[in-house]
């Protein structure tokens, strides 16, 4: 029953996300991009100097932390990106896009030697579905406990705004303290990976700024102060989702 409830809740959230996605995107001329991409996170790549967002899926951002099968914290967002890099293995991608999202990323489907990468991410458990056509692959991944589904986690779309009402999903047996661990303010006091040292902050104006190690503002930022702050692994990753570099 618990698993059925999680699936129902997940489908409801996916329906909402799918509707929101339709609202924030706008039609543009169809385009095709081919080449070996630079993979920025689990659903964003850079190819032919264009940022491409894989449509119909939601992978964890690189700052997201999950719990593994033993209830231990792990950098699942970095892992999702790295698994996509490993799967890509320097091969050529063919991306077919139809529109852009709110960050001006081309939005569409990508293929490696004919294999749909968007579907592969969901089927492998490294992303959740936001498209009805991908839901069956998510169900297969959750049943097999692969990728994110091997433990407990917060849905990627809930991670930036997580609170005490946020639902924890995942394996059949979710640790009793999962919510406490994943909501703890100490969670982001350290970067998720030694390579992810860029600090991102949201100003009162809503402007999103990232700060590099060595900048005067960097040491002044307390990453446990509020959850609107996050870590990035590269400037390209930050800029792909609308963040700009601090002036000092």
């Amino acid at each position: 029953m618990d698993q059925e409830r999680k699936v129902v809740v997940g489908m409801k959230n996916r329906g909402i996300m799918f509707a929101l996605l339709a609202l924030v995107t706008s039609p543009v001329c169809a385009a095709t991009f081919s080449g070996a991409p630079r993979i920025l996170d689990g659903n964003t790549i850079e190819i032919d100097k264009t940022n491409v967002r894989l449509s119909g899926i939601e992978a964890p951002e690189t700052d997201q932390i999950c719990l593994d099968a033993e209830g231990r914290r792990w950098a699942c967002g970095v892992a999702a990106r790295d698994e996509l890099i490993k799967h890509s293995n320097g091969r050529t991608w063919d991306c077919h896009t139809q529109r852009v999202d709110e960050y001006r990323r081309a939005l569409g489907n990508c293929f490696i030697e004919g294999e749909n990468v968007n579907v592969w991410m969901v089927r492998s458990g490294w992303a959740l579905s936001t498209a009805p056509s991908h839901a069956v692959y998510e169900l297969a991944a959750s049943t097999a406990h692969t990728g994110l589904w091997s433990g407990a986690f917060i849905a990627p779309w809930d991670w930036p705004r997580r609170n005490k009402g946020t639902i924890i999903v995942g394996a059949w047996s979710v640790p009793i303290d999962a919510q406490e661990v994943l909501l703890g303010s100490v969670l982001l006091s350290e970067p998720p990976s030694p390579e992810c040292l860029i600090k991102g902050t949201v100003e009162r104006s809503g402007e999103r700024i990232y700060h590099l190690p060595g900048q005067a503002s960097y040491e002044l930022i307390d990453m446990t102060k509020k959850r609107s702050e996050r870590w990035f692994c590269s400037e390209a990753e930050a800029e792909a989702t609308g963040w700009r570099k601090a002036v000092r």
Side-chain angles (χ1 to χ4, degrees):
M1 291 299 295
D2 287 345
Q3 183 68 10
E4 292 176 357
R5 180 181 62 80
K6 291 171 187 173
V7 172
V8 170
V9 171
M11 289 298 291
K12 184 181 296 183
N13 285 340
R14 287 192 292 276
I16 294 172
M17 288 299 299
F18 186 65
L20 290 175
L21 184 61
L23 289 174
V24 301
T25 56
S26 59
V28 296
C29 295
T32 299
F33 304 92
S34 296
R38 177 183 183 184
I39 297 171
L40 305 181
D41 62 28
N43 48 220
T44 306
I45 67 168
E46 181 184 325
I47 187 170
D48 195 23
K49 298 183 179 180
T50 298
N51 290 326
V52 178
R53 168 69 159 82
L54 303 182
S55 63
I57 72 171
E58 192 76 36
E61 296 179 335
T62 54
D63 71 325
Q64 183 163 344
I65 302 298
C66 301
L67 300 182
D68 65 14
E70 308 301 324
R72 298 170 300 196
R73 292 180 294 181
W74 66 298
C76 57
V78 172
R81 181 205 62 185
D82 290 349
E83 288 298 322
L84 183 55
I85 291 173
K86 186 188 303 182
H87 184 66
S88 176
N89 195 29
R91 293 181 290 175
T92 295
W93 289 36
D94 297 306
C95 297
H96 308 290
T97 64
Q98 297 293 330
R99 56 190 186 275
V100 298
D101 68 5
E102 60 182 316
Y103 304 119
R104 307 303 299 173
R105 295 176 295 186
L107 188 63
N109 290 283
C110 292
F111 300 83
I112 302 176
E113 299 175 357
E115 177 187 50
N116 189 314
V117 180
N118 308 45
V119 169
W120 182 85
M121 285 293 289
V122 176
R123 189 177 66 238
S124 302
W126 297 112
L128 271 59
S129 167
T130 60
S133 59
H134 296 344
V136 63
Y137 303 111
E138 181 178 308
L139 180 59
S142 65
T143 301
H145 295 177
T146 59
L148 305 176
W149 298 99
S150 63
F153 62 97
I154 292 172
W157 48 77
D158 286 334
W159 176 256
R161 294 169 293 279
R162 59 197 182 279
N163 55 57
K164 292 183 178 180
T166 300
I167 295 174
I168 310 298
V169 297
W172 288 98
S173 178
V174 175
I176 192 170
D177 63 343
Q179 187 178 67
E180 179 183 351
V181 174
L182 293 176
L183 295 181
S185 61
V186 71
L187 191 66
L188 294 181
S189 61
E190 297 294 333
S193 168
E195 67 174 290
C196 305
L197 300 178
I198 300 173
K199 294 179 178 180
T201 62
V202 179
E203 305 300 310
R204 289 184 178 180
S205 63
E207 187 175 17
R208 299 189 289 182
I209 310 295
Y210 69 84
H211 311 255
L212 301 177
Q215 288 188 297
S217 57
Y218 187 85
E219 297 299 333
L220 301 177
I221 299 170
D222 179 0
M223 295 299 284
T224 66
K225 187 176 181 182
K226 54 185 179 181
R227 293 197 179 99
S228 59
E229 295 167 338
R230 60 155 299 180
W231 297 93
F232 290 102
C233 303
S234 70
E235 291 187 74
E237 178 194 359
E239 292 171 357
T241 49
W243 299 68
R244 73 165 180 83
K245 183 178 178 179
V247 295
R248 61 182 181 85

